[in-house]
Amino acid sequence: MGAVEAELPLWPPVNPARGPFAPLDEVERQRYAGPVRRVRLPTGASAWLVTRHADVRHLLRHPAFSSDLYRPGFPLLRPLPPRAAEDGKGAFLQMDGAEHVRLRRMLTAEFMIKNVRRIEPLIHRTVEESLDVLAAAGPPADLVSTFALPLPSMVICHLLGVPYADHDFFQSRSRTLLDREMPPERIQRDVGELRDYLRALIDAKRARPEGTDDLLGRLIRERVEPGELDVAELVGMALLLLIAGHETTANMIGLSVLLLTADSGRYAILRDEPDRAAPLVEELLRYLSIVRTGLFRLATEDVEIGGRLIRAGEGVIVLISLANRDATVFDDPDRFDPYRQAHQQVAFGFGVHQCIGQPLARAELRIALVALARRFPDLRVTAAPGELGTRDNSIVFGLDALPVTW
């Protein structure tokens, strides 16, 4: 299997002097970026690190790499809690082959671009309501707690049919599950509480099928009742969508505002050239790449990636954040360019497991940022980048708070 070339964490801590947007200095870039190499994980296990754009795309679309984290040898950030009978049911992100396809197909139509366009009026309305709250809160105000986090939470709750009044409950537990340093026992407890909450909600919808015109209600009528989907699987699907549907977009909004308001010209683009918002969002996704810890896979057969033979049973970590700063694909990749054509970015992953909710995330980002710039054209951050608390231990990178005024 060869000697381990380096022992390093999956992502170096953010250097306050450089801020959250340039996480690698030249020494770190030499250690992390470039050809496929062996590294050691915090658990002591070794794995392959893949960072080049072409290698990342090759690996993520190759059927010989498994997403099932319970397979022996799967690369892990922390030990897994003991597996309960229903753990993993419905979590299609961690499945392979036919089971993954079966569950994902049940959701594909819901998140197609044409269906997301139908709910854009809901997103617009939710954005304006959230901006009203922001205006009432300040200035000054915390953009994260008053706008960036509530907005995607309200949207995903509406789509799923989850009461937004319970957002504190599921947001706090979502953050536990994304914390790389959280003990397995705490993870197991919070997963159990979330599953119990969602099961009770689904049971209530099954008992009163009338008036449940939401995603969970439709899945109950169209999949659960005919016997195509069991309740435990629906609980797992709902859990995945609930967590992914607000944490990622919320962190993207906060970081995007910090980046854009650092240059008045960038921020003004949203107000003066709203038609530029869609490609600007692609550049934000590329540049920020908030899934800093990457994607994890296990080889199920021998495969050559980037000139290295990865053998069956060996783990792989794909750093999409570095793939999005590959100079062979993106000119001057460490520079944020609001006019760049960044459509080749892989912030949502690639291949069969790429994020199913990406059309919704793009729409939320585009609508939220344009509306914010129109409503608060002189918005500015009142703290230096080095003074901002960052979520370094989270699988999804973000800001704890973003103090702003206008």
Side-chain angles (χ1 to χ4, degrees):
M1 292 174 62
V4 174
E5 296 181 12
E7 186 169 336
L8 67 163
L10 289 181
W11 196 262
V14 171
N15 185 329
R18 299 199 307 269
F21 302 127
L24 296 183
D25 60 25
E26 285 307 310
V27 173
E28 291 166 341
R29 184 170 292 281
Q30 289 297 317
R31 297 176 69 199
Y32 283 83
V36 178
R37 81 282 307 274
R38 296 292 300 278
V39 295
R40 192 170 297 283
L41 303 178
T43 59
S46 62
W48 294 98
L49 187 71
V50 180
T51 64
R52 293 188 296 201
H53 191 273
D55 296 339
V56 165
R57 285 165 61 104
H58 181 195
L59 188 148
L60 291 178
R61 67 172 172 250
H62 201 293
F65 289 94
S66 172
S67 296
D68 182 358
L69 74 172
Y70 283 96
R71 278 180 179 260
F74 195 91
L76 298 169
L77 292 174
R78 59 198 172 198
L80 290 172
R83 192 171 194 176
E86 293 189 349
D87 282 357
K89 276 201 167 187
F92 56 89
L93 193 63
Q94 299 164 0
M95 294 179 176
D96 306 316
E99 273 302 282
H100 167 258
V101 171
R102 179 179 73 89
L103 295 176
R104 185 180 172 107
R105 278 182 177 167
M106 294 182 187
L107 297 170
T108 300
E110 296 283 345
F111 293 100
M112 289 174 65
I113 293 174
K114 65 178 182 180
N115 286 336
V116 170
R117 284 180 181 147
R118 289 196 193 109
I119 65 168
E120 284 195 5
L122 163 70
I123 300 173
H124 280 283
R125 186 169 64 251
T126 307
V127 166
E128 293 301 329
E129 291 171 357
S130 299
L131 290 176
D132 289 341
V133 173
L134 178 63
D142 171 26
L143 190 90
V144 170
S145 62
T146 57
F147 182 65
L149 186 56
L151 168 62
S153 295
M154 284 188 279
V155 172
I156 196 64
C157 283
H158 180 89
L159 293 180
L160 288 175
V162 173
Y164 180 69
D166 297 332
H167 66 277
D168 284 340
F169 169 82
F170 59 74
Q171 284 171 2
S172 65
R173 284 150 185 82
S174 295
R175 295 203 165 184
T176 295
L177 305 188
L178 294 172
D179 190 330
R180 298 181 306 190
E181 298 185 352
M182 196 61 62
E185 301 78 17
R186 175 69 182 277
I187 297 289
Q188 186 176 35
R189 188 196 77 184
D190 283 18
V191 167
E193 290 180 354
L194 282 168
R195 292 189 72 98
D196 290 344
Y197 168 83
L198 289 166
R199 177 177 279 277
L201 180 65
I202 289 166
D203 287 345
K205 289 179 181 291
R206 293 185 74 189
R208 296 187 301 275
E210 67 284 350
T212 54
D213 188 23
D214 49 55
L215 177 54
L216 292 181
R218 286 192 292 276
L219 288 171
I220 288 169
R221 290 194 303 272
E222 298 170 11
R223 305 292 184 175
V224 174
E225 300 305 344
E228 297 178 33
L229 184 71
D230 68 38
V231 172
E233 289 176 322
L234 181 55
V235 168
M237 293 166 73
L239 177 59
L240 175 60
L241 294 173
L242 188 63
I243 295 173
H246 74 270
E247 278 290 339
T248 49
T249 306
N251 289 329
M252 273 298 302
I253 292 173
L255 288 168
S256 296
V257 172
L258 175 61
L259 176 63
L260 293 171
T261 56
D263 183 316
S264 59
R266 292 176 189 164
Y267 189 58
I269 292 171
L270 293 166
R271 182 192 67 233
D272 301 336
E273 304 176 63
D275 290 345
R276 291 284 318 158
L280 178 58
V281 163
E282 295 304 304
E283 173 68 348
L284 288 167
L285 289 164
R286 180 199 73 85
Y287 190 79
L288 296 173
S289 295
I290 60 172
V291 183
R292 294 276 174 96
T293 53
L295 306 176
F296 299 75
R297 299 289 188 267
L298 183 76
T300 59
E301 59 184 68
D302 295 357
V303 181
E304 185 175 298
I305 300 289
R308 295 293 187 107
L309 181 63
I310 300 177
R311 297 192 179 279
E314 295 182 338
V316 182
I317 300 102
V318 174
L319 285 187
I320 56 178
S321 50
L322 289 188
N324 276 338
R325 294 202 180 191
D326 188 332
T328 66
V329 180
F330 306 102
D331 292 336
D332 195 6
D334 287 330
R335 179 174 65 89
F336 177 80
D337 179 0
Y339 292 97
R340 188 194 302 272
Q341 297 299 316
H343 60 276
Q344 293 189 74
Q345 58 83 15
V346 289
F348 290 114
F350 194 71
V352 295
H353 282 289
Q354 64 183 297
C355 176
I356 196 172
Q358 56 184 292
L360 176 62
R362 285 185 168 100
E364 288 178 325
L365 285 168
R366 172 175 50 82
I367 294 169
L369 293 173
V370 169
L372 181 69
R374 186 189 67 248
R375 185 90 168 261
F376 301 100
D378 60 342
L379 187 82
R380 61 191 183 277
V381 177
T382 59
E387 297 171 346
L388 297 170
T390 53
R391 299 180 59 205
D392 297 350
N393 292 332
S394 177
I395 292 171
V396 180
F397 182 72
L399 300 172
D400 293 324
L402 185 62
V404 296
T405 191
W406 56 90

PDB file of all heavy atoms in Angstrom, residues 257-278:
ATOM      1  N   VAL A 257     -22.127  37.398   1.720  1.00  0.00           N
ATOM      2  CA  VAL A 257     -22.295  38.814   2.075  1.00  0.00           C
ATOM      3  C   VAL A 257     -20.988  39.394   2.594  1.00  0.00           C
ATOM      4  O   VAL A 257     -20.607  40.520   2.251  1.00  0.00           O
ATOM      5  CB  VAL A 257     -23.434  38.975   3.104  1.00  0.00           C
ATOM      6  CG1 VAL A 257     -23.484  40.403   3.640  1.00  0.00           C
ATOM      7  CG2 VAL A 257     -24.772  38.601   2.464  1.00  0.00           C
ATOM      8  N   LEU A 258     -20.268  38.631   3.404  1.00  0.00           N
ATOM      9  CA  LEU A 258     -18.970  39.099   3.893  1.00  0.00           C
ATOM     10  C   LEU A 258     -18.024  39.371   2.733  1.00  0.00           C
ATOM     11  O   LEU A 258     -17.338  40.404   2.692  1.00  0.00           O
ATOM     12  CB  LEU A 258     -18.373  38.071   4.842  1.00  0.00           C
ATOM     13  CG  LEU A 258     -16.961  38.348   5.360  1.00  0.00           C
ATOM     14  CD1 LEU A 258     -16.908  39.654   6.144  1.00  0.00           C
ATOM     15  CD2 LEU A 258     -16.454  37.183   6.213  1.00  0.00           C
ATOM     16  N   LEU A 259     -17.970  38.468   1.779  1.00  0.00           N
ATOM     17  CA  LEU A 259     -17.072  38.613   0.641  1.00  0.00           C
ATOM     18  C   LEU A 259     -17.492  39.769  -0.262  1.00  0.00           C
ATOM     19  O   LEU A 259     -16.663  40.590  -0.678  1.00  0.00           O
ATOM     20  CB  LEU A 259     -17.050  37.305  -0.154  1.00  0.00           C
ATOM     21  CG  LEU A 259     -16.236  37.287  -1.445  1.00  0.00           C
ATOM     22  CD1 LEU A 259     -14.770  37.524  -1.158  1.00  0.00           C
ATOM     23  CD2 LEU A 259     -16.428  35.962  -2.176  1.00  0.00           C
ATOM     24  N   LEU A 260     -18.773  39.863  -0.570  1.00  0.00           N
ATOM     25  CA  LEU A 260     -19.238  40.863  -1.531  1.00  0.00           C
ATOM     26  C   LEU A 260     -19.170  42.278  -0.971  1.00  0.00           C
ATOM     27  O   LEU A 260     -18.815  43.224  -1.680  1.00  0.00           O
ATOM     28  CB  LEU A 260     -20.673  40.540  -1.968  1.00  0.00           C
ATOM     29  CG  LEU A 260     -20.838  39.257  -2.787  1.00  0.00           C
ATOM     30  CD1 LEU A 260     -22.308  38.924  -2.965  1.00  0.00           C
ATOM     31  CD2 LEU A 260     -20.152  39.381  -4.139  1.00  0.00           C
ATOM     32  N   THR A 261     -19.506  42.461   0.295  1.00  0.00           N
ATOM     33  CA  THR A 261     -19.498  43.809   0.861  1.00  0.00           C
ATOM     34  C   THR A 261     -18.089  44.316   1.141  1.00  0.00           C
ATOM     35  O   THR A 261     -17.905  45.502   1.414  1.00  0.00           O
ATOM     36  CB  THR A 261     -20.330  43.868   2.161  1.00  0.00           C
ATOM     37  OG1 THR A 261     -19.827  42.886   3.085  1.00  0.00           O
ATOM     38  CG2 THR A 261     -21.798  43.612   1.877  1.00  0.00           C
ATOM     39  N   ALA A 262     -17.096  43.428   1.057  1.00  0.00           N
ATOM     40  CA  ALA A 262     -15.710  43.889   1.218  1.00  0.00           C
ATOM     41  C   ALA A 262     -15.286  44.767   0.054  1.00  0.00           C
ATOM     42  O   ALA A 262     -14.273  45.481   0.139  1.00  0.00           O
ATOM     43  CB  ALA A 262     -14.770  42.691   1.347  1.00  0.00           C
ATOM     44  N   ASP A 263     -16.031  44.721  -1.032  1.00  0.00           N
ATOM     45  CA  ASP A 263     -15.752  45.543  -2.216  1.00  0.00           C
ATOM     46  C   ASP A 263     -17.088  46.120  -2.687  1.00  0.00           C
ATOM     47  O   ASP A 263     -17.969  45.372  -3.134  1.00  0.00           O
ATOM     48  CB  ASP A 263     -15.125  44.675  -3.309  1.00  0.00           C
ATOM     49  CG  ASP A 263     -14.745  45.464  -4.556  1.00  0.00           C
ATOM     50  OD1 ASP A 263     -15.556  46.304  -4.983  1.00  0.00           O
ATOM     51  OD2 ASP A 263     -13.667  45.209  -5.113  1.00  0.00           O
ATOM     52  N   SER A 264     -17.248  47.427  -2.591  1.00  0.00           N
ATOM     53  CA  SER A 264     -18.536  48.043  -2.926  1.00  0.00           C
ATOM     54  C   SER A 264     -18.928  47.778  -4.375  1.00  0.00           C
ATOM     55  O   SER A 264     -20.113  47.682  -4.702  1.00  0.00           O
ATOM     56  CB  SER A 264     -18.502  49.549  -2.658  1.00  0.00           C
ATOM     57  OG  SER A 264     -17.466  50.162  -3.430  1.00  0.00           O
ATOM     58  N   GLY A 265     -17.947  47.649  -5.256  1.00  0.00           N
ATOM     59  CA  GLY A 265     -18.241  47.373  -6.656  1.00  0.00           C
ATOM     60  C   GLY A 265     -18.858  46.005  -6.848  1.00  0.00           C
ATOM     61  O   GLY A 265     -19.788  45.828  -7.642  1.00  0.00           O
ATOM     62  N   ARG A 266     -18.355  45.013  -6.122  1.00  0.00           N
ATOM     63  CA  ARG A 266     -18.921  43.664  -6.205  1.00  0.00           C
ATOM     64  C   ARG A 266     -20.368  43.661  -5.726  1.00  0.00           C
ATOM     65  O   ARG A 266     -21.251  43.081  -6.353  1.00  0.00           O
ATOM     66  CB  ARG A 266     -18.133  42.691  -5.325  1.00  0.00           C
ATOM     67  CG  ARG A 266     -16.728  42.384  -5.745  1.00  0.00           C
ATOM     68  CD  ARG A 266     -16.123  41.485  -4.678  1.00  0.00           C
ATOM     69  NE  ARG A 266     -14.706  41.282  -4.855  1.00  0.00           N
ATOM     70  CZ  ARG A 266     -13.906  40.809  -3.906  1.00  0.00           C
ATOM     71  NH1 ARG A 266     -14.420  40.489  -2.724  1.00  0.00           N
ATOM     72  NH2 ARG A 266     -12.632  40.632  -4.119  1.00  0.00           N
ATOM     73  N   TYR A 267     -20.584  44.278  -4.588  1.00  0.00           N
ATOM     74  CA  TYR A 267     -21.913  44.283  -3.992  1.00  0.00           C
ATOM     75  C   TYR A 267     -22.906  45.020  -4.892  1.00  0.00           C
ATOM     76  O   TYR A 267     -24.061  44.615  -5.031  1.00  0.00           O
ATOM     77  CB  TYR A 267     -21.839  44.926  -2.610  1.00  0.00           C
ATOM     78  CG  TYR A 267     -23.096  44.819  -1.787  1.00  0.00           C
ATOM     79  CD1 TYR A 267     -23.658  43.580  -1.476  1.00  0.00           C
ATOM     80  CD2 TYR A 267     -23.730  45.963  -1.298  1.00  0.00           C
ATOM     81  CE1 TYR A 267     -24.802  43.483  -0.712  1.00  0.00           C
ATOM     82  CE2 TYR A 267     -24.879  45.879  -0.526  1.00  0.00           C
ATOM     83  CZ  TYR A 267     -25.412  44.639  -0.239  1.00  0.00           C
ATOM     84  OH  TYR A 267     -26.553  44.556   0.521  1.00  0.00           O
ATOM     85  N   ALA A 268     -22.452  46.087  -5.537  1.00  0.00           N
ATOM     86  CA  ALA A 268     -23.330  46.888  -6.404  1.00  0.00           C
ATOM     87  C   ALA A 268     -23.792  46.114  -7.632  1.00  0.00           C
ATOM     88  O   ALA A 268     -24.838  46.432  -8.206  1.00  0.00           O
ATOM     89  CB  ALA A 268     -22.621  48.167  -6.825  1.00  0.00           C
ATOM     90  N   ILE A 269     -23.019  45.117  -8.040  1.00  0.00           N
ATOM     91  CA  ILE A 269     -23.426  44.304  -9.199  1.00  0.00           C
ATOM     92  C   ILE A 269     -24.806  43.702  -8.962  1.00  0.00           C
ATOM     93  O   ILE A 269     -25.642  43.657  -9.875  1.00  0.00           O
ATOM     94  CB  ILE A 269     -22.388  43.201  -9.482  1.00  0.00           C
ATOM     95  CG1 ILE A 269     -21.070  43.810  -9.967  1.00  0.00           C
ATOM     96  CG2 ILE A 269     -22.916  42.197 -10.513  1.00  0.00           C
ATOM     97  CD1 ILE A 269     -19.931  42.802 -10.056  1.00  0.00           C
ATOM     98  N   LEU A 270     -25.046  43.248  -7.748  1.00  0.00           N
ATOM     99  CA  LEU A 270     -26.321  42.609  -7.440  1.00  0.00           C
ATOM    100  C   LEU A 270     -27.483  43.588  -7.608  1.00  0.00           C
ATOM    101  O   LEU A 270     -28.563  43.205  -8.051  1.00  0.00           O
ATOM    102  CB  LEU A 270     -26.298  42.079  -6.003  1.00  0.00           C
ATOM    103  CG  LEU A 270     -25.335  40.922  -5.725  1.00  0.00           C
ATOM    104  CD1 LEU A 270     -25.158  40.742  -4.225  1.00  0.00           C
ATOM    105  CD2 LEU A 270     -25.841  39.638  -6.356  1.00  0.00           C
ATOM    106  N   ARG A 271     -27.243  44.844  -7.251  1.00  0.00           N
ATOM    107  CA  ARG A 271     -28.297  45.848  -7.359  1.00  0.00           C
ATOM    108  C   ARG A 271     -28.444  46.370  -8.790  1.00  0.00           C
ATOM    109  O   ARG A 271     -29.553  46.520  -9.294  1.00  0.00           O
ATOM    110  CB  ARG A 271     -27.981  47.006  -6.412  1.00  0.00           C
ATOM    111  CG  ARG A 271     -29.032  48.106  -6.384  1.00  0.00           C
ATOM    112  CD  ARG A 271     -28.517  49.331  -5.654  1.00  0.00           C
ATOM    113  NE  ARG A 271     -27.428  49.966  -6.397  1.00  0.00           N
ATOM    114  CZ  ARG A 271     -26.235  50.247  -5.871  1.00  0.00           C
ATOM    115  NH1 ARG A 271     -25.963  49.923  -4.629  1.00  0.00           N
ATOM    116  NH2 ARG A 271     -25.306  50.837  -6.605  1.00  0.00           N
ATOM    117  N   ASP A 272     -27.311  46.631  -9.437  1.00  0.00           N
ATOM    118  CA  ASP A 272     -27.326  47.298 -10.745  1.00  0.00           C
ATOM    119  C   ASP A 272     -27.416  46.333 -11.924  1.00  0.00           C
ATOM    120  O   ASP A 272     -27.861  46.716 -13.006  1.00  0.00           O
ATOM    121  CB  ASP A 272     -26.066  48.159 -10.901  1.00  0.00           C
ATOM    122  CG  ASP A 272     -25.962  49.223  -9.821  1.00  0.00           C
ATOM    123  OD1 ASP A 272     -27.022  49.602  -9.265  1.00  0.00           O
ATOM    124  OD2 ASP A 272     -24.827  49.662  -9.514  1.00  0.00           O
ATOM    125  N   GLU A 273     -26.957  45.097 -11.730  1.00  0.00           N
ATOM    126  CA  GLU A 273     -26.971  44.106 -12.802  1.00  0.00           C
ATOM    127  C   GLU A 273     -27.575  42.799 -12.292  1.00  0.00           C
ATOM    128  O   GLU A 273     -26.905  41.771 -12.243  1.00  0.00           O
ATOM    129  CB  GLU A 273     -25.554  43.843 -13.321  1.00  0.00           C
ATOM    130  CG  GLU A 273     -24.803  45.074 -13.805  1.00  0.00           C
ATOM    131  CD  GLU A 273     -23.383  44.724 -14.206  1.00  0.00           C
ATOM    132  OE1 GLU A 273     -23.212  43.938 -15.168  1.00  0.00           O
ATOM    133  OE2 GLU A 273     -22.442  45.210 -13.547  1.00  0.00           O
ATOM    134  N   PRO A 274     -28.836  42.810 -11.874  1.00  0.00           N
ATOM    135  CA  PRO A 274     -29.423  41.587 -11.286  1.00  0.00           C
ATOM    136  C   PRO A 274     -29.383  40.387 -12.216  1.00  0.00           C
ATOM    137  O   PRO A 274     -29.386  39.243 -11.740  1.00  0.00           O
ATOM    138  CB  PRO A 274     -30.858  42.007 -10.953  1.00  0.00           C
ATOM    139  CG  PRO A 274     -31.121  43.218 -11.788  1.00  0.00           C
ATOM    140  CD  PRO A 274     -29.803  43.913 -11.930  1.00  0.00           C
ATOM    141  N   ASP A 275     -29.313  40.620 -13.533  1.00  0.00           N
ATOM    142  CA  ASP A 275     -29.206  39.496 -14.464  1.00  0.00           C
ATOM    143  C   ASP A 275     -27.875  38.772 -14.335  1.00  0.00           C
ATOM    144  O   ASP A 275     -27.727  37.643 -14.820  1.00  0.00           O
ATOM    145  CB  ASP A 275     -29.373  39.983 -15.910  1.00  0.00           C
ATOM    146  CG  ASP A 275     -30.797  40.423 -16.210  1.00  0.00           C
ATOM    147  OD1 ASP A 275     -31.690  40.085 -15.404  1.00  0.00           O
ATOM    148  OD2 ASP A 275     -31.014  41.110 -17.217  1.00  0.00           O
ATOM    149  N   ARG A 276     -26.911  39.414 -13.691  1.00  0.00           N
ATOM    150  CA  ARG A 276     -25.600  38.784 -13.459  1.00  0.00           C
ATOM    151  C   ARG A 276     -25.601  37.887 -12.233  1.00  0.00           C
ATOM    152  O   ARG A 276     -24.611  37.217 -11.952  1.00  0.00           O
ATOM    153  CB  ARG A 276     -24.529  39.869 -13.253  1.00  0.00           C
ATOM    154  CG  ARG A 276     -24.185  40.684 -14.482  1.00  0.00           C
ATOM    155  CD  ARG A 276     -23.310  39.926 -15.433  1.00  0.00           C
ATOM    156  NE  ARG A 276     -22.258  39.183 -14.762  1.00  0.00           N
ATOM    157  CZ  ARG A 276     -21.643  38.141 -15.287  1.00  0.00           C
ATOM    158  NH1 ARG A 276     -22.010  37.694 -16.477  1.00  0.00           N
ATOM    159  NH2 ARG A 276     -20.683  37.515 -14.634  1.00  0.00           N
ATOM    160  N   ALA A 277     -26.695  37.887 -11.497  1.00  0.00           N
ATOM    161  CA  ALA A 277     -26.703  37.187 -10.214  1.00  0.00           C
ATOM    162  C   ALA A 277     -26.451  35.694 -10.352  1.00  0.00           C
ATOM    163  O   ALA A 277     -25.741  35.097  -9.538  1.00  0.00           O
ATOM    164  CB  ALA A 277     -28.019  37.434  -9.479  1.00  0.00           C
ATOM    165  N   ALA A 278     -27.042  35.052 -11.381  1.00  0.00           N
ATOM    166  CA  ALA A 278     -26.878  33.598 -11.523  1.00  0.00           C
ATOM    167  C   ALA A 278     -25.420  33.205 -11.731  1.00  0.00           C
ATOM    168  O   ALA A 278     -24.901  32.337 -11.010  1.00  0.00           O
ATOM    169  CB  ALA A 278     -27.764  33.074 -12.648  1.00  0.00           C
TER     170      ALA A 278
END
